[in-house]
Amino acid sequence: APRLLDYLDDPDAQDAGKAAAIHTLGMRRATGAVAAVVRHLAHPNVEVRVQSAKALGEIGDMRADPALQQAMHDPAWEVRAIAANALGALGDEAALPILTTSLADSAWWVRFNAAHALSQLGTRGTEALRSALAHTDSFVRDISRQVLEEQGLMRTEQGVRT
């Protein structure tokens, strides 16, 4: 991991190489790389940002949570979608508000991943999805229903799963 971290700090390193190094750090679950990977969430290259979000989810270190929540505002939908996955993997309920808001994202994959992430956050995440069934936006209602059904978490008024 030290050589990969050195590579990330190399100003002459190619973006594709940085993305590959970050991917490897994530696969190795290199907790010592969290700070360097978090810094790359702000990199100008979209693929570097995507790989950073993915790696942070794989590493699973809660120190990445605030940066991943910030990444949910990235202009690239791909980064937002992977950041939602990573937040679900971290399992921190502090992400409930941003994930709930992201159910209304303009990009389907962001909505889908945010809904799945909420389903990973236990009772409060499931309740957020159930509450979203009454949202004014039909896309929010649809994705929430889809994930609740996939997870076997839908229930009728009598409390019976459908």
Side-chain angles (χ1 to χ4, degrees):
R3 293 177 78 190
L4 292 172
L5 292 172
D6 289 343
Y7 185 79
L8 291 179
D9 289 335
D10 182 350
D12 296 325
Q14 299 290 319
D15 291 345
K18 286 188 177 206
I22 291 166
H23 172 79
T24 302
L25 291 166
M27 297 281 292
R28 292 183 180 176
R29 291 173 172 46
T31 56
V34 170
V37 176
V38 162
R39 280 195 310 275
H40 282 79
L41 276 174
H43 194 277
N45 181 278
V46 172
E47 186 59 25
V48 171
R49 296 195 313 271
V50 165
Q51 289 301 322
S52 296
K54 183 178 178 195
L56 291 169
E58 291 170 337
I59 293 168
D61 190 308
M62 296 301 279
R63 293 175 294 169
D65 187 82
L68 287 166
Q69 287 192 49
Q70 185 60 38
M72 293 300 296
H73 300 288
D74 194 281
W77 69 265
E78 300 92 337
V79 176
R80 297 191 309 274
I82 300 303
N85 278 348
L87 287 166
L90 290 181
D92 185 3
E93 288 188 0
L96 278 164
I98 191 67
L99 290 170
T100 302
T101 299
S102 296
L103 292 173
D105 194 277
S106 61
W108 185 87
W109 279 110
V110 177
R111 296 191 303 269
F112 180 80
N113 289 355
H116 273 277
L118 284 166
S119 76
Q120 293 176 283
L121 298 183
T123 304
R124 290 188 62 207
T126 301
E127 288 307 315
L129 287 170
R130 287 188 179 130
S131 293
L133 294 173
H135 198 278
T136 57
D137 184 330
S138 65
F139 290 126
V140 173
R141 293 191 307 269
D142 292 346
I143 201 65
S144 299
R145 178 174 288 105
Q146 178 183 341
V147 170
L148 286 167
E149 287 173 352
E150 285 175 4
Q151 303 289 326
L153 299 170
M154 280 295 288
R155 62 180 183 205
T156 63
E157 294 303 310
Q158 293 79 30
V160 179
R161 289 183 181 171
T162 60

